Amino acid sequence: MTAVDKKTSRTLLLVLLVPGLLALGVSFVAPMLWLLRASFSTSALGGGDDWTLDKYSEILADPFYWRVAGNTLNYGVTVAIFAVILSYPIALFLARSTSRYRGILTALAIAPLLTSSVVRTYGWMVILGDRGVINSTLQWLTLTDAPLRLSNNQLGATIAMIEILMPYAILAMLSGFGRLNSQLEEAATMLGANRFKVFTRIILPLSLPGVITAALLVFVLAISGFITPRLMGGGRVFVLGTEVFQEATVTLNWPLAAALAVMLLVLFSSVIVIYRRALRALEA
Amino acid sequence: MDKTSPLAAFAWRGLITLLYIFLLAPIIIVFVVSFDTRKYLAFPPESWSFGSYIAVLQNEAFISAFWRSLGLGTIVGIGAVAIGTLLSMALTRHKFRGEGAVNFLVIAPFIVPNIVLAVGLVLVLAAFKLLDSYIGIVIAHLGVTIPYTVRTVTMSLMAVDRRVEEAALVHGASPLQVFWRVTLPLIRPGIIAGGVIAFLISFDETTISLFIVSVKTSTLPTEIYRYLEYSTDPQIAALSVVLILISVAVVVVVEKLIGLRKAV
């Protein structure tokens, strides 16, 4: 390459890189740095010159936030377990199906992703509400007198979140089920394994990495959500997400919101680290 | 499975059907309720009408939020795909110092939860007096959509035969000409897909928007969220049905467009 060539290629590279770096710098790097800075600040707006651990100690000293953190973990684990259990048969069915409707059925399983989670949360309000689908049906069948409390509480928020995150679980499992192979199953059957054995000894172990990925994805999305817990919980469900939103937009205590967001991020990262360890152990 | 007993096969199909019903229940129910004539949330509808749809069309707040979201999605879609294409070109066609860092920067927004990013964005936008501004939302949405456009365009770029580009260079085309006349037409499906994904994400994005918009700049999802906090009448159902139909239409049209291109 000549010197001129080198110079033009460097200019070209700058033209390619600068807009992206600028955009991501303003919309991602700067917010993350300011978030961290604000969480160590004393001033109400997150500015100020001093560095302090006040917000963190305030959070750690308050039993309310311990309950919120515990509830968030509990919520994430419950949603992840049920979303994975309910998605597994669908993913298995789609992965093994040879039906000509397979494409349509796959699209149908992922279609809810095209619908905003706010809209689907509303759908669950209609289903689980006091005068909703389930309660009207139960009363019409005269099985209950008073409506069951299925919404405006943790139960409703959990059911809605499970459904909202299922398409993600199905997608993650489908891409993780690549190692499933019908020839292996046939071989096992020929060697005398019954269906239960084929499932526990072949299908389940081979699909486990996909299952773990799905569980992690759902957990991580569940603990960072706030729209569904807030709308379905009717103000009675307290998770880190709802608290971050409350402090940032209602109370306007930005350092506290920032500190809570940092703690959410820490919770989040530790789960990912554990996941990678688990996956490595599984593959070893 | 030939050895399966009919009963087991039946039970298996039943289970799959039930799970599909659970998965699609809220969408189906929203559709049914959108034709209810009552002003409060209840099931089943007493009588059926298009009243909720008419009410939505007459709701000033929804209509202006819709146009705002549409404009926003278009700007974000075009901006994110333009910036994303440049970044993909740099990452796939050039070797440079700090490549790893740029790669990480493109993946990182995938990993950080939107709600965490949202708090940071509130602080930054507030400092620059951009909170509750159009530009502020565009900036926020660019950050979450660029990683997607980089991904789709990069996948297209990797599939391009480098020899075609080299042949054009050898025959005297400038790098810009090669990009414009050779590479760009070849990666068009990836660019369209990336732009559409960015549009749909922006059009649907609620978490970050709720932190940074007020009544003046509310987008359609934030308007729906605020409405739902106080009222759950069937207007929201009608609006939801319209939104579902729009996203399905966008996906179908794009599939046809790109599918046709690939066929030609």
PDB file of all heavy atoms in Angstrom, chain B residues 30-55:
ATOM      1  N   VAL B  30     -58.216  -9.842  23.952  1.00  0.00           N
ATOM      2  CA  VAL B  30     -58.204  -8.424  23.599  1.00  0.00           C
ATOM      3  C   VAL B  30     -59.051  -8.200  22.349  1.00  0.00           C
ATOM      4  O   VAL B  30     -59.830  -7.250  22.262  1.00  0.00           O
ATOM      5  CB  VAL B  30     -56.750  -7.937  23.372  1.00  0.00           C
ATOM      6  CG1 VAL B  30     -56.723  -6.646  22.576  1.00  0.00           C
ATOM      7  CG2 VAL B  30     -56.047  -7.744  24.703  1.00  0.00           C
ATOM      8  N   PHE B  31     -58.933  -9.119  21.406  1.00  0.00           N
ATOM      9  CA  PHE B  31     -59.708  -9.025  20.165  1.00  0.00           C
ATOM     10  C   PHE B  31     -61.206  -9.091  20.464  1.00  0.00           C
ATOM     11  O   PHE B  31     -61.984  -8.267  19.967  1.00  0.00           O
ATOM     12  CB  PHE B  31     -59.274 -10.158  19.227  1.00  0.00           C
ATOM     13  CG  PHE B  31     -59.891 -10.077  17.866  1.00  0.00           C
ATOM     14  CD1 PHE B  31     -59.443  -9.140  16.939  1.00  0.00           C
ATOM     15  CD2 PHE B  31     -60.923 -10.924  17.516  1.00  0.00           C
ATOM     16  CE1 PHE B  31     -60.010  -9.051  15.688  1.00  0.00           C
ATOM     17  CE2 PHE B  31     -61.497 -10.843  16.262  1.00  0.00           C
ATOM     18  CZ  PHE B  31     -61.052  -9.907  15.344  1.00  0.00           C
ATOM     19  N   VAL B  32     -61.606 -10.045  21.289  1.00  0.00           N
ATOM     20  CA  VAL B  32     -63.033 -10.201  21.620  1.00  0.00           C
ATOM     21  C   VAL B  32     -63.567  -8.952  22.342  1.00  0.00           C
ATOM     22  O   VAL B  32     -64.609  -8.406  21.974  1.00  0.00           O
ATOM     23  CB  VAL B  32     -63.253 -11.460  22.491  1.00  0.00           C
ATOM     24  CG1 VAL B  32     -64.695 -11.527  22.963  1.00  0.00           C
ATOM     25  CG2 VAL B  32     -62.870 -12.712  21.724  1.00  0.00           C
ATOM     26  N   VAL B  33     -62.814  -8.503  23.348  1.00  0.00           N
ATOM     27  CA  VAL B  33     -63.279  -7.393  24.175  1.00  0.00           C
ATOM     28  C   VAL B  33     -63.383  -6.092  23.383  1.00  0.00           C
ATOM     29  O   VAL B  33     -64.188  -5.215  23.699  1.00  0.00           O
ATOM     30  CB  VAL B  33     -62.330  -7.235  25.392  1.00  0.00           C
ATOM     31  CG1 VAL B  33     -62.553  -5.903  26.078  1.00  0.00           C
ATOM     32  CG2 VAL B  33     -62.553  -8.361  26.373  1.00  0.00           C
ATOM     33  N   SER B  34     -62.583  -5.977  22.309  1.00  0.00           N
ATOM     34  CA  SER B  34     -62.575  -4.724  21.554  1.00  0.00           C
ATOM     35  C   SER B  34     -63.945  -4.428  20.937  1.00  0.00           C
ATOM     36  O   SER B  34     -64.227  -3.307  20.551  1.00  0.00           O
ATOM     37  CB  SER B  34     -61.505  -4.771  20.466  1.00  0.00           C
ATOM     38  OG  SER B  34     -61.894  -5.632  19.419  1.00  0.00           O
ATOM     39  N   PHE B  35     -64.817  -5.449  20.862  1.00  0.00           N
ATOM     40  CA  PHE B  35     -66.147  -5.223  20.279  1.00  0.00           C
ATOM     41  C   PHE B  35     -67.218  -5.044  21.337  1.00  0.00           C
ATOM     42  O   PHE B  35     -68.395  -4.926  21.031  1.00  0.00           O
ATOM     43  CB  PHE B  35     -66.520  -6.395  19.351  1.00  0.00           C
ATOM     44  CG  PHE B  35     -65.614  -6.500  18.165  1.00  0.00           C
ATOM     45  CD1 PHE B  35     -64.616  -7.473  18.122  1.00  0.00           C
ATOM     46  CD2 PHE B  35     -65.742  -5.620  17.095  1.00  0.00           C
ATOM     47  CE1 PHE B  35     -63.772  -7.553  17.027  1.00  0.00           C
ATOM     48  CE2 PHE B  35     -64.894  -5.699  16.000  1.00  0.00           C
ATOM     49  CZ  PHE B  35     -63.910  -6.671  15.969  1.00  0.00           C
ATOM     50  N   ASP B  36     -66.812  -5.023  22.617  1.00  0.00           N
ATOM     51  CA  ASP B  36     -67.777  -4.862  23.698  1.00  0.00           C
ATOM     52  C   ASP B  36     -68.330  -3.435  23.685  1.00  0.00           C
ATOM     53  O   ASP B  36     -67.653  -2.502  23.289  1.00  0.00           O
ATOM     54  CB  ASP B  36     -67.094  -5.142  25.047  1.00  0.00           C
ATOM     55  CG  ASP B  36     -68.110  -5.414  26.137  1.00  0.00           C
ATOM     56  OD1 ASP B  36     -69.315  -5.190  25.896  1.00  0.00           O
ATOM     57  OD2 ASP B  36     -67.696  -5.858  27.220  1.00  0.00           O
ATOM     58  N   THR B  37     -69.576  -3.304  24.134  1.00  0.00           N
ATOM     59  CA  THR B  37     -70.187  -1.982  24.130  1.00  0.00           C
ATOM     60  C   THR B  37     -70.097  -1.300  25.487  1.00  0.00           C
ATOM     61  O   THR B  37     -70.340  -0.109  25.603  1.00  0.00           O
ATOM     62  CB  THR B  37     -71.681  -2.067  23.746  1.00  0.00           C
ATOM     63  OG1 THR B  37     -72.255  -3.135  24.496  1.00  0.00           O
ATOM     64  CG2 THR B  37     -71.856  -2.323  22.268  1.00  0.00           C
ATOM     65  N   ARG B  38     -69.727  -2.057  26.539  1.00  0.00           N
ATOM     66  CA  ARG B  38     -69.712  -1.455  27.870  1.00  0.00           C
ATOM     67  C   ARG B  38     -68.446  -0.636  28.082  1.00  0.00           C
ATOM     68  O   ARG B  38     -67.441  -0.833  27.417  1.00  0.00           O
ATOM     69  CB  ARG B  38     -69.817  -2.538  28.942  1.00  0.00           C
ATOM     70  CG  ARG B  38     -71.215  -3.052  29.108  1.00  0.00           C
ATOM     71  CD  ARG B  38     -71.225  -4.286  29.955  1.00  0.00           C
ATOM     72  NE  ARG B  38     -70.411  -5.343  29.351  1.00  0.00           N
ATOM     73  CZ  ARG B  38     -70.322  -6.567  29.846  1.00  0.00           C
ATOM     74  NH1 ARG B  38     -70.952  -6.875  30.954  1.00  0.00           N
ATOM     75  NH2 ARG B  38     -69.601  -7.475  29.244  1.00  0.00           N
ATOM     76  N   LYS B  39     -68.513   0.266  29.066  1.00  0.00           N
ATOM     77  CA  LYS B  39     -67.389   1.170  29.306  1.00  0.00           C
ATOM     78  C   LYS B  39     -66.396   0.585  30.321  1.00  0.00           C
ATOM     79  O   LYS B  39     -65.382   1.184  30.592  1.00  0.00           O
ATOM     80  CB  LYS B  39     -67.899   2.520  29.823  1.00  0.00           C
ATOM     81  CG  LYS B  39     -68.504   3.388  28.745  1.00  0.00           C
ATOM     82  CD  LYS B  39     -67.447   4.299  28.113  1.00  0.00           C
ATOM     83  CE  LYS B  39     -67.979   5.018  26.888  1.00  0.00           C
ATOM     84  NZ  LYS B  39     -68.075   4.124  25.726  1.00  0.00           N
ATOM     85  N   TYR B  40     -66.722  -0.537  30.924  1.00  0.00           N
ATOM     86  CA  TYR B  40     -65.800  -1.095  31.912  1.00  0.00           C
ATOM     87  C   TYR B  40     -65.385  -2.495  31.490  1.00  0.00           C
ATOM     88  O   TYR B  40     -65.960  -3.098  30.589  1.00  0.00           O
ATOM     89  CB  TYR B  40     -66.447  -1.115  33.295  1.00  0.00           C
ATOM     90  CG  TYR B  40     -67.759  -1.858  33.342  1.00  0.00           C
ATOM     91  CD1 TYR B  40     -67.798  -3.220  33.615  1.00  0.00           C
ATOM     92  CD2 TYR B  40     -68.956  -1.186  33.117  1.00  0.00           C
ATOM     93  CE1 TYR B  40     -69.001  -3.898  33.648  1.00  0.00           C
ATOM     94  CE2 TYR B  40     -70.165  -1.865  33.145  1.00  0.00           C
ATOM     95  CZ  TYR B  40     -70.179  -3.218  33.418  1.00  0.00           C
ATOM     96  OH  TYR B  40     -71.358  -3.889  33.446  1.00  0.00           O
ATOM     97  N   LEU B  41     -64.392  -2.984  32.201  1.00  0.00           N
ATOM     98  CA  LEU B  41     -63.787  -4.243  31.824  1.00  0.00           C
ATOM     99  C   LEU B  41     -64.598  -5.417  32.348  1.00  0.00           C
ATOM    100  O   LEU B  41     -64.735  -5.598  33.553  1.00  0.00           O
ATOM    101  CB  LEU B  41     -62.384  -4.268  32.459  1.00  0.00           C
ATOM    102  CG  LEU B  41     -61.325  -5.179  31.887  1.00  0.00           C
ATOM    103  CD1 LEU B  41     -59.990  -4.674  32.342  1.00  0.00           C
ATOM    104  CD2 LEU B  41     -61.546  -6.586  32.323  1.00  0.00           C
ATOM    105  N   ALA B  42     -65.161  -6.207  31.454  1.00  0.00           N
ATOM    106  CA  ALA B  42     -65.905  -7.385  31.875  1.00  0.00           C
ATOM    107  C   ALA B  42     -65.986  -8.367  30.723  1.00  0.00           C
ATOM    108  O   ALA B  42     -65.726  -8.025  29.575  1.00  0.00           O
ATOM    109  CB  ALA B  42     -67.310  -6.998  32.328  1.00  0.00           C
ATOM    110  N   PHE B  43     -66.334  -9.588  31.050  1.00  0.00           N
ATOM    111  CA  PHE B  43     -66.381 -10.620  30.026  1.00  0.00           C
ATOM    112  C   PHE B  43     -67.540 -11.565  30.321  1.00  0.00           C
ATOM    113  O   PHE B  43     -67.821 -11.835  31.469  1.00  0.00           O
ATOM    114  CB  PHE B  43     -65.058 -11.384  30.024  1.00  0.00           C
ATOM    115  CG  PHE B  43     -64.880 -12.242  28.814  1.00  0.00           C
ATOM    116  CD1 PHE B  43     -64.320 -11.714  27.664  1.00  0.00           C
ATOM    117  CD2 PHE B  43     -65.274 -13.570  28.824  1.00  0.00           C
ATOM    118  CE1 PHE B  43     -64.148 -12.498  26.538  1.00  0.00           C
ATOM    119  CE2 PHE B  43     -65.116 -14.355  27.697  1.00  0.00           C
ATOM    120  CZ  PHE B  43     -64.555 -13.826  26.559  1.00  0.00           C
ATOM    121  N   PRO B  44     -68.236 -12.117  29.375  1.00  0.00           N
ATOM    122  CA  PRO B  44     -68.143 -11.841  27.928  1.00  0.00           C
ATOM    123  C   PRO B  44     -68.857 -10.564  27.555  1.00  0.00           C
ATOM    124  O   PRO B  44     -69.638 -10.044  28.358  1.00  0.00           O
ATOM    125  CB  PRO B  44     -68.861 -13.047  27.322  1.00  0.00           C
ATOM    126  CG  PRO B  44     -69.842 -13.467  28.361  1.00  0.00           C
ATOM    127  CD  PRO B  44     -69.228 -13.149  29.683  1.00  0.00           C
ATOM    128  N   PRO B  45     -68.659 -10.037  26.351  1.00  0.00           N
ATOM    129  CA  PRO B  45     -69.358  -8.819  25.928  1.00  0.00           C
ATOM    130  C   PRO B  45     -70.863  -9.036  25.952  1.00  0.00           C
ATOM    131  O   PRO B  45     -71.343 -10.125  25.643  1.00  0.00           O
ATOM    132  CB  PRO B  45     -68.872  -8.615  24.485  1.00  0.00           C
ATOM    133  CG  PRO B  45     -67.595  -9.370  24.395  1.00  0.00           C
ATOM    134  CD  PRO B  45     -67.733 -10.529  25.328  1.00  0.00           C
ATOM    135  N   GLU B  46     -71.616  -7.985  26.366  1.00  0.00           N
ATOM    136  CA  GLU B  46     -73.079  -8.072  26.381  1.00  0.00           C
ATOM    137  C   GLU B  46     -73.637  -7.941  24.976  1.00  0.00           C
ATOM    138  O   GLU B  46     -74.532  -8.651  24.572  1.00  0.00           O
ATOM    139  CB  GLU B  46     -73.648  -6.934  27.247  1.00  0.00           C
ATOM    140  CG  GLU B  46     -74.022  -7.395  28.633  1.00  0.00           C
ATOM    141  CD  GLU B  46     -74.440  -6.233  29.482  1.00  0.00           C
ATOM    142  OE1 GLU B  46     -74.477  -5.098  28.973  1.00  0.00           O
ATOM    143  OE2 GLU B  46     -74.740  -6.465  30.653  1.00  0.00           O
ATOM    144  N   SER B  47     -73.093  -6.948  24.269  1.00  0.00           N
ATOM    145  CA  SER B  47     -73.511  -6.736  22.887  1.00  0.00           C
ATOM    146  C   SER B  47     -72.283  -6.257  22.124  1.00  0.00           C
ATOM    147  O   SER B  47     -71.293  -5.825  22.719  1.00  0.00           O
ATOM    148  CB  SER B  47     -74.616  -5.696  22.825  1.00  0.00           C
ATOM    149  OG  SER B  47     -74.209  -4.557  23.555  1.00  0.00           O
ATOM    150  N   TRP B  48     -72.367  -6.369  20.828  1.00  0.00           N
ATOM    151  CA  TRP B  48     -71.167  -6.142  20.016  1.00  0.00           C
ATOM    152  C   TRP B  48     -71.313  -4.893  19.169  1.00  0.00           C
ATOM    153  O   TRP B  48     -72.380  -4.619  18.658  1.00  0.00           O
ATOM    154  CB  TRP B  48     -70.930  -7.349  19.105  1.00  0.00           C
ATOM    155  CG  TRP B  48     -70.872  -8.640  19.868  1.00  0.00           C
ATOM    156  CD1 TRP B  48     -71.913  -9.297  20.461  1.00  0.00           C
ATOM    157  CD2 TRP B  48     -69.718  -9.408  20.147  1.00  0.00           C
ATOM    158  NE1 TRP B  48     -71.469 -10.425  21.084  1.00  0.00           N
ATOM    159  CE2 TRP B  48     -70.128 -10.535  20.902  1.00  0.00           C
ATOM    160  CE3 TRP B  48     -68.366  -9.281  19.820  1.00  0.00           C
ATOM    161  CZ2 TRP B  48     -69.242 -11.509  21.342  1.00  0.00           C
ATOM    162  CZ3 TRP B  48     -67.482 -10.253  20.244  1.00  0.00           C
ATOM    163  CH2 TRP B  48     -67.920 -11.347  21.001  1.00  0.00           C
ATOM    164  N   SER B  49     -70.190  -4.152  19.025  1.00  0.00           N
ATOM    165  CA  SER B  49     -70.234  -2.986  18.151  1.00  0.00           C
ATOM    166  C   SER B  49     -68.813  -2.548  17.812  1.00  0.00           C
ATOM    167  O   SER B  49     -67.849  -3.053  18.375  1.00  0.00           O
ATOM    168  CB  SER B  49     -70.960  -1.831  18.821  1.00  0.00           C
ATOM    169  OG  SER B  49     -70.080  -1.169  19.701  1.00  0.00           O
ATOM    170  N   PHE B  50     -68.722  -1.588  16.899  1.00  0.00           N
ATOM    171  CA  PHE B  50     -67.422  -1.008  16.575  1.00  0.00           C
ATOM    172  C   PHE B  50     -67.204   0.278  17.376  1.00  0.00           C
ATOM    173  O   PHE B  50     -66.327   1.063  17.050  1.00  0.00           O
ATOM    174  CB  PHE B  50     -67.336  -0.711  15.070  1.00  0.00           C
ATOM    175  CG  PHE B  50     -67.068  -1.938  14.242  1.00  0.00           C
ATOM    176  CD1 PHE B  50     -68.092  -2.602  13.588  1.00  0.00           C
ATOM    177  CD2 PHE B  50     -65.765  -2.421  14.130  1.00  0.00           C
ATOM    178  CE1 PHE B  50     -67.837  -3.738  12.838  1.00  0.00           C
ATOM    179  CE2 PHE B  50     -65.507  -3.559  13.378  1.00  0.00           C
ATOM    180  CZ  PHE B  50     -66.546  -4.226  12.730  1.00  0.00           C
ATOM    181  N   GLY B  51     -68.030   0.461  18.416  1.00  0.00           N
ATOM    182  CA  GLY B  51     -67.989   1.694  19.195  1.00  0.00           C
ATOM    183  C   GLY B  51     -66.606   2.044  19.714  1.00  0.00           C
ATOM    184  O   GLY B  51     -66.178   3.194  19.652  1.00  0.00           O
ATOM    185  N   SER B  52     -65.874   1.027  20.245  1.00  0.00           N
ATOM    186  CA  SER B  52     -64.553   1.292  20.803  1.00  0.00           C
ATOM    187  C   SER B  52     -63.593   1.775  19.722  1.00  0.00           C
ATOM    188  O   SER B  52     -62.747   2.634  19.974  1.00  0.00           O
ATOM    189  CB  SER B  52     -63.987   0.035  21.448  1.00  0.00           C
ATOM    190  OG  SER B  52     -64.902  -0.477  22.378  1.00  0.00           O
ATOM    191  N   TYR B  53     -63.730   1.208  18.534  1.00  0.00           N
ATOM    192  CA  TYR B  53     -62.848   1.623  17.446  1.00  0.00           C
ATOM    193  C   TYR B  53     -63.109   3.085  17.073  1.00  0.00           C
ATOM    194  O   TYR B  53     -62.185   3.863  16.841  1.00  0.00           O
ATOM    195  CB  TYR B  53     -63.047   0.723  16.224  1.00  0.00           C
ATOM    196  CG  TYR B  53     -62.492  -0.674  16.435  1.00  0.00           C
ATOM    197  CD1 TYR B  53     -63.268  -1.672  17.004  1.00  0.00           C
ATOM    198  CD2 TYR B  53     -61.178  -0.965  16.087  1.00  0.00           C
ATOM    199  CE1 TYR B  53     -62.760  -2.937  17.225  1.00  0.00           C
ATOM    200  CE2 TYR B  53     -60.659  -2.230  16.295  1.00  0.00           C
ATOM    201  CZ  TYR B  53     -61.459  -3.215  16.869  1.00  0.00           C
ATOM    202  OH  TYR B  53     -60.939  -4.460  17.089  1.00  0.00           O
ATOM    203  N   ILE B  54     -64.403   3.438  17.053  1.00  0.00           N
ATOM    204  CA  ILE B  54     -64.746   4.825  16.731  1.00  0.00           C
ATOM    205  C   ILE B  54     -64.226   5.756  17.820  1.00  0.00           C
ATOM    206  O   ILE B  54     -63.657   6.810  17.542  1.00  0.00           O
ATOM    207  CB  ILE B  54     -66.281   4.966  16.545  1.00  0.00           C
ATOM    208  CG1 ILE B  54     -66.703   4.154  15.310  1.00  0.00           C
ATOM    209  CG2 ILE B  54     -66.700   6.419  16.392  1.00  0.00           C
ATOM    210  CD1 ILE B  54     -68.181   3.852  15.230  1.00  0.00           C
ATOM    211  N   ALA B  55     -64.375   5.331  19.080  1.00  0.00           N
ATOM    212  CA  ALA B  55     -63.892   6.147  20.198  1.00  0.00           C
ATOM    213  C   ALA B  55     -62.387   6.370  20.095  1.00  0.00           C
ATOM    214  O   ALA B  55     -61.883   7.464  20.366  1.00  0.00           O
ATOM    215  CB  ALA B  55     -64.237   5.470  21.515  1.00  0.00           C
TER     216      ALA B  55
END
